[in-house]
Amino acid sequence: MESQELLGALNWRYATKKFDPNRKLDLKTLNTLLEATRLSASSMGLQPYKFIHVKDVGVRESLKEHSFNQTQITDASDMIVFAALNSISDEHIEQYARTEGELRNRTEEQIERKIKSTKAYVDRMNADEQFIWNSKQAYISMGTLLSTAALLNVDACPMEGINPKEYDRILQLEALNLRSLAVVTLGFRSSEDAYSDQSKFRFPKGQIIKTI
Ligand SMILES: Cc1cc2nc3c(=O)[nH]c(=O)nc-3n(C[C@H](O)[C@H](O)[C@H](O)COP(=O)(O)O)c2cc1C
């Protein structure tokens, strides 16, 4: 891909305010977007999050009420809720290290060592710190999804304007040791979205990128 094409796609994308409710993503594109999100990087590879694809129309209506009634929640083709683990359990670390270790033909000793060092690293953080750390990893995957969507000419809106407590209740996330963080809605912009032709505002390079 040429630089110009890449930057063109990133300039084309914007936080879509009004989606065309009649246009739906095809399954292949949707699966590609979910797979790109899954392939995102995370610290130590622990993936301390879940991506919740909410398909149920009724549930989306309920969530909209707890999203400041932002219409993207119900008008977009699809919505993904990003949720982070409240804390990282020993089971999570063991499952990660065992599955990864087997895939990569590690010895039992290597796997045990990895479990021990990962637990030691995670245990340095208290529960609040673990949730913050997990959330940071989840946000990286949101970024991956947004950039991938742009490259596939899919419109998206990252959305933090939600009531996470209500989301957790409706999606029953507490039982899964998860807390919701934000949403990405996906689909196609409406021709009536006044935001689509607004100039993109970013601070100039010299202000954002520091060279030392
Ligand atoms: C974490 C995050 C949360 C956001 N929450 C909302 C939101 O709830 N509703 C909304 O319309 N836009 C939301 N935005 C969109 C931003 O306002 C938008 O990305 C920013 O103004 C830059 O504009 P652009 O993305 O269109 O280039 C959010 C963006 C991010 C990254």
Side-chain angles (χ1 to χ4, degrees), residues 13-15 17 70 72 139 157-161 200 202:
R13 73 145 292 282
Y14 75 107
K17 305 289 174 200
Q70 297 187 82
Q72 297 99 316
Y139 272 85
C157 189
M159 304 175 72
E160 250 179 351
K200 195 166 272 303
R202 292 295 188 266

Side-chain angles (χ1 to χ4, degrees), residues 10-18 67-68 70 72-73 139 142 146 156-162 181-183 185 195 198-202:
L10 295 177
N11 267 301
W12 170 84
R13 73 145 292 282
Y14 75 107
T16 304
K17 305 289 174 200
K18 201 168 166 29
S67 314
F68 300 93
Q70 297 187 82
Q72 297 99 316
I73 299 293
Y139 272 85
M142 270 180 74
L146 292 174
C157 189
M159 304 175 72
E160 250 179 351
I162 64 166
L181 304 166
V183 173
T185 44
Y195 285 81
Q198 290 204 341
S199 305
K200 195 166 272 303
F201 170 74
R202 292 295 188 266

Side-chain angles (χ1 to χ4, degrees), residues 195-211:
Y195 285 81
S196 66
D197 53 11
Q198 290 204 341
S199 305
K200 195 166 272 303
F201 170 74
R202 292 295 188 266
F203 289 117
K205 271 181 220 154
Q207 203 175 327
I208 289 282
I209 302 166
K210 294 288 174 206
T211 308

